[in-house]
Amino acid sequence: DQQVKQNSPSLSVQEGRISILNCDYTNSMFDYFLWYKKYPAEGPTFLISISSIKDKNEDGRFTVFLNKSAKHLSLHIVPSQPGDSAVYFCAAKEAGGSSNTGKLIFGQGTTLQVKP
Amino acid sequence: NAGVTQTPKFQVLKTGQSMTLQCAQDMNHNSMYWYRQDPGMGLRLIYYSASEGTTDKGEVPNGYNVSRLNKREFSLRLESAAPSQTSVYFCASSEARQGAQYFGPGTRLTVL
């Protein structure tokens, strides 16, 4: 059973519009949520994160929203640019207290295409 | 400051051969991780090392072994490669408390 799910394998948007990528999770013990971007033939790069005690975090064109009651997070990219075309992974970290290993559980990924 | 480096970038093995994937980080991170990425499966954790001297199994450890050589280096060994181990392998490191992991460029492995 997958604890972190990205139900949309792909998303296509027009340049300048908003891209919304979604992620659902099942484990209430997650304390951090992260988004990664991955270009072909490269490693994933960290994009933005949010603590479970917050509901929004913003960094430039990227905003992550967390809805704990729905166990749902989303990444908004405004405005979208062709260079944003990549695979986006959401990930979640389980709270571990003194035994915090930092392990992440990843979703399957969503391929975003931004058309010029 | 190179971040996380991995060698080799590409490798082709025959079934039954062995090999070691190397990973090093220069960010003084305590924790290191090995993942594999397969189409439609996201990134799955193979093994991790929360700190120097410790290693633990992740989600898909069968067929792999690891060594945390020192704080900088974490290697992944395939003792007897199988076609099911054809994948892209990523190494990552983090300061566990913050959560963000930083990834290497990956090793593309094909087992024939």
Side-chain angles (χ1 to χ4, degrees):
Chain A
D1 63 334
Q2 199 136 11
Q3 296 187 65
V4 179
K5 286 185 181 179
Q6 294 175 256
N7 292 315
S8 298
S10 62
L11 175 68
S12 181
V13 300
Q14 209 65 36
E15 181 179 6
R17 307 295 277 269
I18 184 172
S19 295
I20 300 176
L21 297 109
N22 294 303
C23 182
D24 297 300
Y25 63 95
T26 57
N27 188 340
S28 300
M29 298 303 293
F30 291 141
D31 67 347
Y32 260 101
F33 300 89
L34 306 92
W35 284 95
Y36 284 81
K37 179 168 75 172
K38 186 184 179 305
Y39 292 120
E42 294 184 11
T45 54
F46 170 66
L47 200 54
I48 191 169
S49 65
I50 187 168
S51 165
S52 61
I53 62 173
K54 296 186 175 181
D55 54 19
K56 178 182 174 181
N57 189 26
E58 195 170 352
D59 184 1
R61 296 185 297 114
F62 302 92
T63 303
V64 57
F65 295 92
L66 177 62
N67 182 334
K68 285 190 290 294
S69 61
K71 294 191 173 68
H72 177 84
L73 69 154
S74 60
L75 175 69
H76 293 211
I77 307 173
V78 184
S80 301
Q81 300 173 353
D84 296 328
S85 298
V87 179
Y88 289 78
F89 292 98
C90 68
K93 186 179 81 65
E94 192 170 308
S98 59
S99 63
N100 190 349
T101 63
K103 287 195 298 180
L104 295 178
I105 299 174
F106 285 83
Q108 308 95 307
T110 297
T111 300
L112 173 66
Q113 183 185 27
V114 180
K115 297 180 178 177
Chain B
N1 188 338
V4 179
T5 56
Q6 292 183 236
T7 55
K9 284 188 169 29
F10 302 94
Q11 185 71 48
V12 178
L13 293 177
K14 294 181 179 177
T15 297
Q17 287 186 315
S18 62
M19 78 162 295
T20 300
L21 282 66
Q22 306 286 355
C23 174
Q25 52 94 7
D26 62 3
M27 295 176 283
N28 202 35
H29 286 163
N30 285 315
S31 302
M32 297 185 74
Y33 312 85
W34 276 105
Y35 293 90
R36 59 179 288 173
Q37 186 198 3
D38 302 292
M41 303 288 286
L43 291 149
R44 292 184 293 168
L45 184 65
I46 304 171
Y47 269 94
Y48 68 99
S49 171
S51 60
E52 188 179 352
T54 68
T55 60
D56 281 290
K57 295 178 180 179
E59 181 186 355
V60 288
N62 291 345
Y64 305 95
N65 283 301
V66 290
S67 295
R68 183 75 183 266
L69 305 169
N70 48 55
K71 191 170 185 179
R72 289 187 65 248
E73 298 171 289
F74 188 38
S75 62
L76 178 73
R77 182 159 179 85
L78 287 71
E79 290 290 352
S80 179
S84 60
Q85 294 178 305
T86 293
S87 188
V88 182
Y89 291 85
F90 291 102
C91 176
S93 70
S94 78
E95 277 305 317
R97 196 171 300 172
Q98 292 178 351
Q101 293 181 12
Y102 298 88
F103 284 79
T107 295
R108 185 173 295 274
L109 175 67
T110 301
V111 183
L112 303 175

